[in-house]
């Protein structure tokens, strides 16, 4: 991917501080970045074996390069008592630009949720300036028995989002 090529171009040791996650690359030709620090908001893995994706998933595609956006922090928040946002879990997109297991089915309830995509560190790694340092999507959940896939089509100067399947 373009991200991996940019990482190789910077030399023997590459480190990117992505808010609360550190990635390292050791200049091996086929090496992929490896997460060194834990996710900033730990996620409850209670029913992961029963449901390997969870009721909320996400996918980011970088439309400027036609590839998945890997290594992006995504944090899911819930609105408590219509006044306070509480972080539920942070995930990092995989090599396919996907994130899953934000919460368990038992945790998922009717309410308003916010999905925060931390896009600036992703574009910083690519050496690309972006107009949007982050993207936030607010969703209203009325049926917690359904699956919600929140997709983001992203480029440095625009984005669109939709509920996928």
């Amino acid at each position: 991917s373009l991200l991996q090529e940019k990482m190789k171009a910077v030399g023997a040791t590459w480190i990117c501080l992505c808010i609360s996650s550190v990635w390292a690359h050791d200049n091996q030709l086929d090496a992929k970045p490896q997460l060194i620090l834990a996710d900033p908001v730990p996620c409850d893995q209670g029913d992961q074996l029963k449901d390997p994706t969870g009721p909320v998933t996400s996918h980011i595609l970088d439309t400027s390069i036609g590839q998945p956006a890997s290594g992006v922090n995504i944090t899911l928040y819930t609105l408590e008592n219509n006044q306070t946002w509480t972080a539920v879990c942070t995930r990092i997109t995989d090599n396919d630009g996907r994130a899953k297991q934000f919460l368990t089915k038992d945790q998922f309830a009717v309410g308003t949720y916010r999905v925060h995509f931390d896009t600036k560190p992703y574009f910083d790694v690519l050496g690309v300036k972006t107009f949007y340092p982050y993207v936030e999507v607010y969703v209203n959940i009325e049926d917690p028995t359904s699956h919600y896939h929140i997709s983001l089509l992203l480029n440095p100067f625009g984005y669109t989002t939709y509920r996928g399947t």
Side-chain angles (χ1 to χ4, degrees):
S1 77
L2 180 60
L3 179 60
Q4 291 169 329
E5 289 175 30
K6 286 280 189 179
M7 290 172 14
K8 290 176 196 171
V10 293
T13 303
W14 175 87
I15 298 176
C16 172
L17 178 60
C18 301
I19 302 299
S20 55
S21 299
V22 178
W23 297 87
H25 177 69
D26 62 3
N27 204 28
Q28 296 175 11
L29 289 179
D30 293 318
K32 298 196 186 320
Q34 295 180 3
L35 184 64
I36 295 175
L37 297 179
D39 290 339
V41 181
C43 305
D44 183 347
Q45 301 301 310
D47 63 359
Q48 189 172 20
L49 294 177
K50 290 188 281 184
D51 183 9
T53 62
V56 176
T57 57
S58 188
H59 190 200
I60 307 174
L61 296 173
D62 183 340
T63 59
S64 67
I65 59 174
Q67 302 221 357
S70 61
V72 177
N73 281 336
I74 303 173
T75 304
L76 179 70
Y77 294 83
T78 185
L79 185 60
E80 303 286 337
N81 301 319
N82 285 324
Q83 58 187 345
T84 305
W85 289 103
T86 302
V88 175
C89 176
T90 298
R91 290 293 187 199
I92 300 170
T93 57
D94 61 17
N95 286 339
D96 195 33
R98 297 180 184 276
K100 57 188 178 182
Q101 284 291 335
F102 287 94
L103 55 124
T104 66
K105 285 182 180 180
D106 292 338
Q107 294 172 308
F108 199 38
V110 170
T112 302
Y113 291 80
R114 179 176 80 194
V115 184
H116 177 94
F117 299 89
D118 193 15
T119 57
K120 187 177 183 318
Y122 167 77
F123 286 116
D124 286 348
V125 168
L126 293 176
V128 175
K129 291 184 180 188
T130 181
F131 187 67
Y132 299 103
Y134 60 88
V135 172
E136 290 191 328
V137 177
Y138 297 81
V139 296
N140 190 38
I141 303 302
E142 294 179 0
D143 179 7
T145 64
S146 290
H147 178 84
Y148 294 86
H149 184 72
I150 302 161
S151 298
L152 180 67
L153 301 177
L154 177 67
N155 70 65
F157 299 100
Y159 66 88
T160 190
T161 184
Y162 61 94
R163 180 181 174 188
T165 57

